[in-house]
Amino acid sequence: MSLKIKHLNGDTTFLLTFSPAEQRPASQRYGYPPGTFSVLVDPWLSGPSSMWHPKFLLSKHTVPSCITNLSHIPEPNVVLISQDKPDHCHEPTLRQLDPTSSLTNILAVPGAAKKIRGMKHFDPAQVHALPVFSTKDNESVIRFYIPPLSPGGTAGEATVAYVPAKMDVSGLHNALGITYRPPTTASSPPSVHHCPKPESRYSHFSSPHAYHQFRDMPPTPPESPSQRPRSLSNSTDPSTLSRDSSSSIPLSHTTSATSTPSNSHIFHPSHSPTHSTSSTSSHLPRPAKTLSLIYSPHGLAYSPHIQTYATSHLIAQAALPLTALIHGFDRVENPWYLGGNVNAGLPGGVQIAKHLMAKTWIGAHDEDKENSGLSVLKVKIRKFGIGEVRGMVRREWCGGGNGCDVRNLDCGEELVIKS
């Protein structure tokens, strides 16, 4: 299986494509092979970005984006918005998305979700506020069900989690975690992560392009079967996806279901597997390998925020070492009365990469943009070159950091990470 990361602009817009090992021809209709899970992150292609008022902050790209319109890429399964600030949640770029699409779900931090709904461009049911990750709430992880590649194969799963900083006045510092466990064919070896065949139906909405369904779904082993998350399924030509829903998603779970397409896959809680994280029996098969990525453009302290997510969810998903970290290199500071730290940069990113044994670290949000306004009059930027970042990684890891591939992707450049 593989993860392809493509840098679409000079700043922090990325297209992530998770693919299974069993490669199939791409669907002419949907643009991706079966079993693929694609995520578009913080799209801002062109035009200025202004916060509150241009006199406070006005930003412009100095490097042209590699595409001029989102129609130039296949429709992603997810559009992920990490901030409500306009350089992450850019309205003119978001309006390039098809508002009638039933393939794409928009997952955004709560402030950004409110802002996107306020655009009145999308169906409100297409825009979902990310719940805050909590080890005490299994519904705080959004799950996408990916059907087997052939009859008798095992289903895959992708997850998305939102980990914000506590008491962060600026609201800038958070991390978005993504995991991907690929579906398999009937000939693939079995694993602990087995998704049961769905049987029950709940409320849903459908369209000619894709099929979505909200319904209860058992937790993915080896998480505790005592917790019962809610989720959404999305059946497309190449794949069917499902997702935990949170209370912020305004859809009922009690509405009667209408007819279900034959290719839809819905879990039933009674089929929850019984594997537990506490089991250490040697006869159990090894967990299926899972790709993992953390996206934190402004940075977030490893302890306690990311550490809690990693030691619970990533370990349960067999998703360590971390496949990729997308995190800025440059450190940006404002006076305390303007919010203090803006970007944690290298000092913060190296701790995440070190503790999660990241295989790859890709720089983000370091474009030398044309900035003006009151908010940038006193800003201080400490830029770190790629050589400095690699040197810091080696020193922090006592010489063992050579396994972390540190990259700074140019606009339009892509990197494929195979596992």
Side-chain angles (χ1 to χ4, degrees):
M1 59 182 168
S2 65
L3 165 60
K4 180 169 71 174
I5 303 174
K6 185 169 184 176
H7 204 182
L8 298 184
N9 68 3
D11 199 40
T12 192
T13 299
F14 293 90
L15 180 62
L16 314 176
T17 307
F18 298 84
S19 302
E22 296 89 347
Q23 290 295 320
R24 305 290 183 87
S27 165
Q28 292 183 353
R29 183 176 182 185
Y30 301 103
Y32 290 109
T36 300
F37 182 71
S38 59
V39 183
L40 175 64
V41 181
D42 287 347
W44 171 27
L45 296 184
S46 61
S49 163
S50 176
M51 188 168 69
W52 296 337
H53 190 279
K55 290 186 178 180
F56 182 77
L57 176 62
L58 182 68
S59 297
K60 298 179 181 179
H61 285 305
T62 55
V63 177
S65 299
C66 68
I67 59 174
T68 57
N69 194 285
L70 294 180
S71 63
H72 297 163
I73 60 173
E75 284 186 82
N77 297 118
V78 170
V79 176
L80 194 59
I81 308 297
S82 69
Q83 305 279 339
D84 62 356
K85 309 301 186 291
D87 55 339
H88 299 264
C89 183
H90 190 248
E91 181 172 342
T93 302
L94 288 172
R95 286 185 177 274
Q96 296 174 10
L97 293 168
D98 181 4
T100 65
S101 172
S102 53
L103 173 66
T104 299
N105 292 285
I106 299 175
L107 305 184
V109 299
K114 181 179 179 180
K115 180 178 178 181
I116 295 169
R117 291 192 187 108
M119 291 165 48
K120 300 187 183 303
H121 179 70
F122 301 98
D123 182 337
Q126 191 179 358
V127 182
H128 310 290
L130 287 162
V132 174
F133 174 78
S134 171
T135 57
K136 299 178 181 179
D137 182 8
N138 203 38
E139 295 184 7
S140 67
V141 175
I142 295 178
R143 301 176 185 276
F144 290 80
Y145 171 87
I146 308 174
L149 296 177
S150 67
T154 58
E157 183 185 69
T159 72
V160 179
Y162 165 50
V163 185
K166 296 179 179 179
M167 306 298 291
D168 180 21
V169 176
S170 66
L172 296 173
H173 301 287
N174 63 40
L176 299 176
I178 304 173
T179 67
Y180 169 81
R181 177 167 41 81
T184 67
T185 61
S187 60
S188 301
S191 68
V192 169
H193 292 290
H194 175 69
C195 297
K197 182 180 179 180
E199 294 183 1
S200 179
R201 294 183 300 175
Y202 295 80
S203 60
H204 72 274
F205 58 96
S206 61
S207 75
H209 188 70
Y211 173 77
H212 302 260
Q213 179 145 4
F214 282 89
R215 77 289 181 275
D216 287 344
M217 169 181 164
T220 299
E223 293 174 324
S224 170
S226 63
Q227 297 175 326
R228 190 183 71 174
R230 293 172 293 173
S231 48
L232 167 114
S233 72
N234 173 349
S235 176
T236 66
D237 178 56
S239 65
T240 301
L241 305 109
S242 69
R243 194 187 70 180
D244 285 359
S245 65
S246 71
S247 58
S248 61
I249 299 177
L251 289 180
S252 170
H253 288 262
T254 59
T255 307
S256 299
T258 60
S259 61
T260 306
S262 59
N263 64 338
S264 64
H265 295 266
I266 307 148
F267 286 106
H268 191 281
S270 64
H271 291 273
S272 177
T274 58
H275 299 291
S276 169
T277 53
S278 61
S279 175
T280 57
S281 301
S282 60
H283 67 274
L284 289 176
R286 295 182 64 185
K289 178 59 182 173
T290 302
L291 297 177
S292 55
L293 179 143
I294 286 180
Y295 173 70
S296 185
H298 289 268
L300 179 68
Y302 173 75
S303 178
H305 305 98
I306 294 177
Q307 182 181 29
T308 301
Y309 168 72
T311 56
S312 56
H313 185 68
L314 291 185
I315 287 180
Q317 293 287 315
L320 291 175
L322 188 73
T323 306
L325 170 66
I326 300 181
H327 187 291
F329 296 156
D330 299 343
R331 188 170 181 87
V332 182
E333 298 279 355
N334 250 332
W336 66 267
Y337 53 84
L338 288 175
N341 180 262
V342 178
N343 286 8
L346 170 59
V350 73
Q351 295 303 315
I352 303 172
K354 172 185 175 181
H355 285 94
L356 300 185
M357 302 167 287
K359 296 180 179 179
T360 304
W361 177 2
I362 294 174
H365 219 355
D366 293 332
E367 180 187 12
D368 291 323
K369 296 182 289 291
E370 182 183 324
N371 295 321
S372 61
L374 296 173
S375 67
V376 297
L377 292 179
K378 296 184 178 295
V379 70
K380 295 182 179 179
I381 302 176
R382 167 64 165 95
K383 298 193 73 65
F384 291 92
I386 192 75
E388 289 180 279
V389 179
R390 289 169 178 164
M392 176 72 81
V393 167
R394 286 193 296 270
R395 289 193 297 273
E396 284 290 321
W397 291 6
C398 300
N402 292 327
C404 181
D405 183 12
V406 180
R407 299 288 189 99
N408 195 5
L409 298 181
D410 292 332
C411 179
E413 187 178 0
E414 62 185 40
L415 175 68
V416 177
I417 305 170
K418 295 185 178 181
S419 178

